Every structure is written in C-alpha cells, then in structure tokens.
Amino acid sequence: MKNCIFLLLAVVFCSSRAQAQENVSIGPLVGLSIANFRGDVSNTDWKPGLTIGGFYNYSSESGFGFSGQLLFTQLGAQINNKTNEINLNYIQAPLLATFFFGRYGDRLRPKIFLGPNLNFLVGARDKNGNNINGDSNNRIYAPFDLGLTFGGGLNYRLQEKIWLNFDVRYGVGLLDVTRLDNSKVRNNNWGINVGLSFPLGTYNKHTGRLRTR
C-alpha cells in the first residue's frame, strides 16, 4: 500500500510539472506545394505552387502536441504535356496531432504529425489566370475537399522561446474535387514549409485556460 501511495504521488508530481511546462506558440508559415491529381485522369504532371499562412502550436513535456494551421495553398496539376495548368486555390485548415522526439527543452526537436485537412476552394484558374470553374449555376469543381496530411520535420530554437519550424508533408485528398459524373479526381500534394513560432502563453489542462505571457 505504501508503495502504491508513493507511486501515486510521483505520478501527480510529474503531471503537475508537465502541466506547468505546457506551452502555446503562434507564428507565420511559408512554403512550396508540389501538386498533382490522381484518379480518373491522364497526361497530368506535378505543378509547383505557393503555401502561406499562420499556425498555432501546443506542446507538452510528454512530447505530445497539436498544431492548428490556416493556410492559402495552390493545388492542381500541369496538363496537356505541361502546356497548361489547372490551379485550384484553397484555404486549408490542417489539424495535426504531433509528437516531438528528444527531451523537452532540447535545442533541436524532431517531430512527426498526422491529421485531417479541411480545404475550401477559393478559385480555379488556368495558366493564364482565366476562370475554369464555370458560373455560379454550373460549377465544375467542388467547393470543399477533405484530406489527410502526414509528415515530419524539425523545430530548432533560435533563442529563448523563439523556434524555427521546418517540415515536409504529404497530403492525400479523400474526396472527388470535380462535379463530373463520369470521373473521380482527387488532390495529391507534397509540401515543404518553414515557419517561425513565438510564445503566446501557457495552457493549463486543469483549468482549461490559456495564461498569456
């Protein structure tokens, strides 16, 4: 019984320390998106595009964390032997469960992440910038796409509580992005991103409150 009590006290002590160390940070992100279609398509190729936006990071002493992001990302593909492009521009909201390797406080923290990706279409254009999504009564591309994002990267502490965030990710579209009855086309892309995170505050799991610094 005495050993059980000591074990329980140790767990509570460790939990309280982890809670005190948990933190939240925010920052900008920019990157390269390399996209293509998969499914009932042919004669397409990978197309580079831009990713830009911001993110919210939560991390704990245990190594587990969470990242919520809001991004503008250019997807689509090159078509017709690379003579033209389909540019599908999305507002993306990845919700990523993250695990950090190494010890809490290390200057370099490798990480892996996985989670759903909510995509809201804001434009569909060709290489010359012409609209290719029809009119409001006859849209060609679906306004929403759901995907799965996974990848890995590194967080490097530049100075106290300011981190350089680097990651490589792969996004798999789960829904048909067209409204055509005779085909199913899904998004497919690689991403290489760099961000800079700044401290926002400390999240207390017990109270459910964020204490800003």
Side-chain angles (χ1 to χ4, degrees):
M1 176 64 71
K2 185 180 296 185
N3 290 337
C4 291
I5 294 174
F6 285 145
L7 180 60
L8 180 60
L9 290 174
V11 170
V12 170
F13 175 75
C14 291
S15 297
S16 64
R17 283 181 55 85
Q19 178 173 295
Q21 294 294 332
E22 290 164 356
N23 63 78
V24 174
S25 60
I26 58 174
L29 179 149
V30 65
L32 173 67
S33 169
I34 305 173
N36 200 351
F37 291 134
R38 59 188 179 86
D40 299 328
V41 291
S42 61
N43 197 23
T44 66
D45 211 329
W46 296 91
K47 179 191 74 69
L50 173 70
T51 295
I52 188 169
F55 62 89
Y56 159 104
N57 279 344
Y58 163 79
S59 61
S60 70
E61 191 172 310
S62 66
F64 289 97
F66 172 80
S67 178
Q69 304 175 355
L70 190 64
L71 310 172
F72 171 81
T73 304
Q74 296 177 316
L75 301 182
Q78 295 188 76
I79 60 173
N80 301 331
N81 294 318
K82 302 183 180 181
T83 60
N84 204 348
E85 295 177 354
I86 296 176
N87 295 297
L88 300 183
N89 300 327
Y90 289 94
I91 298 297
Q92 292 189 311
L95 306 172
L96 306 173
T98 306
F99 181 78
F100 293 93
F101 296 93
R103 293 181 301 175
Y104 192 85
D106 285 351
R107 193 177 189 89
L108 182 66
R109 298 293 304 276
K111 63 184 177 182
I112 55 175
F113 52 84
L114 170 70
N117 197 29
L118 312 178
N119 305 321
F120 303 90
L121 184 69
V122 295
R125 301 189 177 277
D126 64 12
K127 187 176 183 178
N128 298 319
N130 300 310
N131 176 48
I132 56 174
N133 200 21
D135 56 36
S136 58
N137 297 319
N138 189 29
R139 294 300 188 193
I140 296 173
Y141 295 98
F144 174 76
D145 181 33
L146 175 65
L148 181 66
T149 296
F150 57 91
L154 299 168
N155 284 11
Y156 179 76
R157 189 174 69 246
L158 298 176
Q159 54 180 295
E160 184 66 23
K161 300 176 184 177
I162 298 178
W163 293 76
L164 179 68
N165 295 236
F166 171 80
D167 73 70
V168 177
R169 64 184 64 184
Y170 180 65
V172 181
L174 303 177
L175 303 179
D176 184 3
V177 298
T178 72
R179 290 183 163 179
L180 305 176
D181 295 333
N182 58 350
S183 67
K184 291 187 181 298
V185 179
R186 294 177 173 85
N187 282 314
N188 193 31
N189 85 295
W190 289 93
I192 303 172
N193 303 304
V194 177
L196 197 63
S197 62
F198 302 90
L200 178 63
T202 300
Y203 175 71
N204 188 312
K205 288 193 300 184
H206 182 69
T207 64
R209 294 181 179 179
L210 175 67
R211 179 173 57 83
T212 57
R213 299 181 188 278

